[in-house]
Amino acid sequence: MFRNQYDQDMLTWSPQGRLHQVEYAMEAVKQGSTVVACGNKKCAVLAALKRKQSKLSSMQEKIFAINTRVGVAVSGLSTDGAKLVKLLREESTREEFVYGRSACPGRLAAAASKSLQISMRKSSGRPCGVGLVLVGSSEQLGCQIFQTCPSGEVHQMSCTAIGGRSQSARTYLEKNMEALETASVDEMIMIALRALNESNVDASDLTSDKCEVAIVELNTYTLKSAAEVTTLLTNL
Amino acid sequence: MAPEGARQHANWSPYDNNGGTVLAVAGENYVICASDTRMSTGYSILTRNYEKVDQMSPKTLMASAGFMADAQTLKKTLKARCKQYEFQNKKPIGCVSFAQMLSNTLYYRRFFPYYAFNIVAGLDAEGKGAVFTYDAVGSYERTNYSCQGSGQALIMPVLDNQLKTVSPLVLPAVSSATPLSEAAAIELIKDCFATAAERDIYTGDRVELWIMNADGVRKEEMPLRLD
């Protein structure tokens, strides 16, 4: 799309003040399948569409636990995602070792951002081709949602969707932002699943093997089992 | 000035001994890990309420006697490793794997050891009681019962007398676990601590027993001499 003379490596600015390699890396995030997150102070939901590499392979895992109260979903290059998840888990373990308490989501998002930004400054590597949606809770601030992208930018979101065809999900979430503020956990789950469904334009309906759902409430993170997801999907 | 040729001795030691006794007994389908709760230094008591037994994973208990700063840090390090194991293997660490991991961790510090005398107790993959006993640098062995700490010399002969089973080389094969029932083992352990508290100044205050079986983990305690 943007083929030009300023996009050869990370160290070259374009005259318009852009780093093209980073922008190309952001495109990689859009290649991944959709991830949706929405929440309020009391609870937050992470939902992701799963896809598989071929008919014979297993579904690619999308949602990963980081510690007992934070989970993360990745969209983009799944191996880059696995590396970031490992980093977040190690950071979380380190925080627990040093401070004796679970790392809060903001701290973890900052750790991810630091790692992502480093690869932007070096010529020896490339930007991480993955976007993260981090959902967790802390005592003081309640439930939070953070989003990172290959540039290393971190934003706190009230709700978000990333990945392929995520615009439809985002539009649905924007329409329901008011409902989110007072929603209960069950209502939140339904909003997330409906948003996810907007992005599911394949012929087949949503089933429990096609999507993963995780919820965060005060100080707990739970990944829903396949059976629980099937039950939730029947109400869709 | 020291006379010429004489060696000078360090008068600061990085180690201290906080006393206390820990023991564990393995049964056919249970394991009991117990410790007293006294922490001392020299001839003083630091606290009467220090628990030396910790649960490291759903099926693993670890008890340490010796220098508590080293024991505490050792447990902290291992707990972080257990979390890592769980992420990598998608299941909590089992007691046999934990036992090996502790041995490796201790030997890693072969030339500046953790001054901790450890016992690992848990249920193996078949649900049978397992006890592993260690020296300070990681040499370990799976046994039916073990005792470490200041009261070791007083308690071990009692355990040998009551619990020693025939050699595993004898046929027909006899189970390596102690045939004692859970209730009988609990009584024996309480007696052992009460005995050690009589003569060992570093053992006393309270004994805490952690009993692990198929139903989970529960604790019992019994007061000991406070002197």
Side-chain angles (χ1 to χ4, degrees):
Chain A
M1 250 192 291
F2 308 118
R3 199 84 193 76
N4 61 48
Q5 50 188 222
Y6 305 110
D7 65 357
Q8 291 303 303
D9 59 39
M10 271 308 310
L11 300 182
T12 309
W13 290 94
S14 81
Q16 290 78 36
R18 290 152 62 176
L19 289 167
H20 286 295
Q21 280 294 306
V22 179
E23 292 176 25
Y24 296 168
M26 311 261 227
E27 290 297 312
V29 178
K30 294 179 197 160
Q31 299 294 323
S33 65
T34 321
V35 169
V36 162
C38 54
N40 55 35
K41 273 206 163 174
K42 293 220 206 72
C43 59
V45 175
L46 199 50
L49 272 182
K50 294 203 282 194
R51 57 159 92 119
K52 51 178 154 176
Q53 198 202 16
S54 78
K55 274 209 178 114
L56 301 172
S57 74
S58 57
M59 288 294 200
Q60 179 64 48
E61 223 183 313
K62 292 283 278 186
I63 299 184
F64 302 90
I66 303 298
N67 60 34
T68 52
R69 52 186 189 173
V70 176
V72 84
V74 299
S75 188
L77 252 51
S78 51
T79 46
D80 282 359
K83 197 189 84 167
L84 267 181
V85 167
K86 184 163 189 270
L87 183 124
L88 288 174
R89 284 173 173 168
E90 283 165 3
E91 178 63 25
S92 176
T93 305
R94 197 192 68 84
E95 284 253 334
E96 274 189 56
F97 190 91
V98 174
Y99 298 112
R101 49 116 182 98
S102 245
C104 64
R107 184 75 203 87
L108 292 169
S113 162
K114 185 172 163 188
S115 164
L116 291 164
Q117 206 279 335
I118 287 171
S119 46
M120 285 234 301
R121 286 186 271 126
K122 292 187 172 181
S123 66
S124 50
R126 58 164 177 80
C128 216
V130 90
L132 283 185
V133 177
L134 194 140
V135 168
S137 81
S138 67
E139 284 92 1
Q140 288 137 325
L141 301 166
C143 297
Q144 293 177 298
I145 301 173
F146 289 91
Q147 181 180 325
T148 73
C149 63
S151 64
E153 275 179 37
V154 177
H155 297 287
Q156 187 174 356
M157 318 288 281
S158 52
C159 53
T160 185
I162 61 169
R165 295 188 275 259
S166 54
Q167 186 53 58
S168 335
R170 268 197 298 275
T171 314
Y172 181 88
L173 288 171
E174 279 166 25
K175 286 197 200 126
N176 286 278
M177 271 185 77
E178 269 193 42
L180 283 176
E181 279 170 37
T182 49
S184 69
V185 178
D186 297 322
E187 289 161 0
M188 194 76 75
I189 296 176
M190 292 328 294
I191 295 177
L193 284 174
R194 281 190 202 110
L196 199 65
N197 209 14
E198 296 287 318
S199 298
N200 179 35
V201 295
D202 292 349
S204 56
D205 282 339
L206 274 185
T207 54
S208 66
D209 48 281
K210 273 192 81 178
C211 67
E212 277 185 333
V213 177
I215 58 170
V216 166
E217 291 176 275
L218 249 28
N219 288 328
T220 56
Y221 159 89
T222 334
L223 182 71
K224 292 286 183 195
S225 70
E228 289 170 320
V229 172
T230 310
T231 319
L232 292 168
L233 287 171
T234 52
N235 299 330
L236 206 58
Chain B
M1 267 304 284
E4 250 205 61
R7 282 260 183 87
Q8 288 211 295
H9 224 275
N11 42 26
W12 178 82
S13 166
Y15 298 116
D16 187 15
N17 191 342
N18 297 122
T21 310
V22 295
L23 76 73
V25 171
E28 201 58 52
N29 50 19
Y30 67 87
V31 75
I32 304 170
C33 193
S35 80
D36 74 321
T37 59
R38 175 176 292 176
M39 184 163 138
S40 329
T41 179
Y43 288 118
S44 305
I45 293 180
L46 289 171
T47 174
R48 297 187 190 275
N49 257 324
Y50 192 81
E51 285 190 29
K52 302 185 188 73
V53 183
D54 223 318
Q55 184 163 11
M56 306 304 281
S57 88
K59 290 275 180 342
T60 316
L61 299 165
M62 178 174 160
S64 310
F67 181 34
M68 286 303 123
D70 274 359
Q72 230 179 61
T73 307
L74 178 62
K75 281 183 178 164
K76 220 172 139 184
T77 311
L78 287 167
K79 271 200 176 134
R81 279 290 284 115
C82 285
K83 280 201 187 93
Q84 215 183 351
Y85 179 100
E86 205 171 323
F87 277 131
Q88 287 169 348
N89 296 277
K90 305 215 168 151
K91 72 175 190 66
I93 190 168
C95 84
V96 176
S97 304
F98 181 87
Q100 181 66 61
M101 191 165 78
L102 171 58
S103 170
N104 298 343
T105 308
L106 291 169
Y107 196 81
Y108 202 70
R109 289 272 297 258
R110 173 68 179 81
F111 299 110
F112 184 10
Y114 286 104
Y115 193 126
F117 299 97
N118 305 292
I119 296 181
V120 168
L123 298 174
D124 66 12
E126 294 152 18
K128 210 164 150 197
V131 168
F132 301 87
T133 185
Y134 295 77
D135 71 359
V137 286
S139 160
Y140 81 112
E141 184 194 18
R142 181 172 173 174
T143 56
N144 296 344
Y145 59 91
S146 177
C147 183
Q148 294 280 0
S150 57
Q152 179 184 31
L154 297 166
I155 295 180
M156 205 58 169
V158 177
L159 294 178
D160 284 334
N161 178 277
Q162 296 291 307
L163 299 176
K164 196 164 188 145
T165 51
V166 299
S167 162
L169 301 168
V170 162
L171 288 173
V174 176
S175 164
S176 59
T178 173
L180 233 51
S181 72
E182 193 182 289
I186 291 173
E187 284 314 302
L188 173 64
I189 291 172
K190 287 180 178 172
D191 278 343
C192 284
F193 273 93
T195 307
E198 292 293 319
R199 295 285 177 179
D200 176 21
I201 60 172
Y202 298 111
T203 302
D205 296 328
R206 199 169 82 242
V207 56
E208 288 238 337
L209 292 92
W210 293 58
I211 303 134
M212 182 183 273
N213 54 29
D215 300 328
V217 185
R218 73 176 199 280
K219 290 210 284 196
E220 275 190 40
E221 58 180 48
M222 185 185 83
L224 293 173
R225 290 182 70 123
L226 300 170
D227 65 353

